[in-house]
Amino acid sequence: MPDRHTDALLSKYPIISDQIKRPALKVVLEQLESTIEKQISGDVVEFGCYIGTTSLFLRRMLDAHDQSGSKQLHVYDSFAGLPAKTSQDASAAGEQFVSGELAVSKKQLLEQFHRANLRPPMVHKCWFNELTDHDVPEVISFAFLDGDFYTSIHDSLRLVWPKLSAGGIITIDDYKREALPGPERAVQEFFKDKAIKPVAYAHNIAIICKL
C-alpha cells in the first residue's frame, strides 16, 4: 500500500515547525512513497525547506525503503526568508506574509538532521531564479515545492518539470489557499499548454503526475 510507512513515520516522529500540518504532510509522504514503490527513477528535490520540517520526513521515507544509496535528497532555499511579492500574490488574507519572513540559517537546518541522527541532504543555498538546469539532478522522481509565492513556484516548476521522470510526481504546498494565491496561479500559467492529468489536491497540497 502507498502509505505502508507514511502512517508509521508520522506517528513516531514530531513535526518541528508550524509551517505544515500533519494532514498535508501525510499527502506529501504518500505521494513520495508511491513513486518509490512504483520504482520511478530519479532523485528527490525540495524547493523551500525552511528549517527542515518536511526534509526530515523525506529522508526518513527514503531510509525506510532503503533508498539512501539510489536516491539523493536535494533541498533548495535562500535561507533569507520569503522573497518580494508580485501582483500575482496579492491577497488581503495574506498580508502577514512579507519579504524576509521565515528566515533561518543553513546551519539550523543541518543541526536538525544531526539531532535526528539522519544523513543530511545536499543543500543548495540560493534564490530559485538564480538556478539553472545544471543545479538540479539530471533525473527527478519526486518534488515538493514550498515557495509560497508565484515566482518561487514558477521558477521551481521551470527547473523540475523537464527533469521529472514519466510517472514522477510534483507536490506543491499552499495550493488553493486564499492567503497565498500565487502557487495556484503559477501552476495554471505553467501547465496551460502542457499535457498533464487534471491537478488533484488535498489539504492545500497540489499533486501533479507527469504522463
Side-chain angles (χ1 to χ4, degrees), residues 80-84 97-104 127 149:
L82 296 175
F97 297 102
V98 296
S99 179
E101 188 77 12
L102 303 177
V104 298
W127 294 104
F149 294 166

Side-chain angles (χ1 to χ4, degrees), residues 121-159:
M122 297 184 69
V123 182
H124 306 260
K125 183 178 179 180
C126 51
W127 294 104
F128 301 163
N129 62 5
E130 298 172 344
L131 295 167
T132 72
D133 59 354
H134 299 293
D135 297 307
V136 298
E138 281 302 309
V139 184
I140 295 170
S141 61
F142 179 84
F144 177 55
L145 311 184
D146 188 13
D148 298 296
F149 294 166
Y150 175 89
T151 54
S152 296
I153 296 300
H154 203 281
D155 288 335
S156 303
L157 288 169
R158 169 181 58 82
L159 294 161

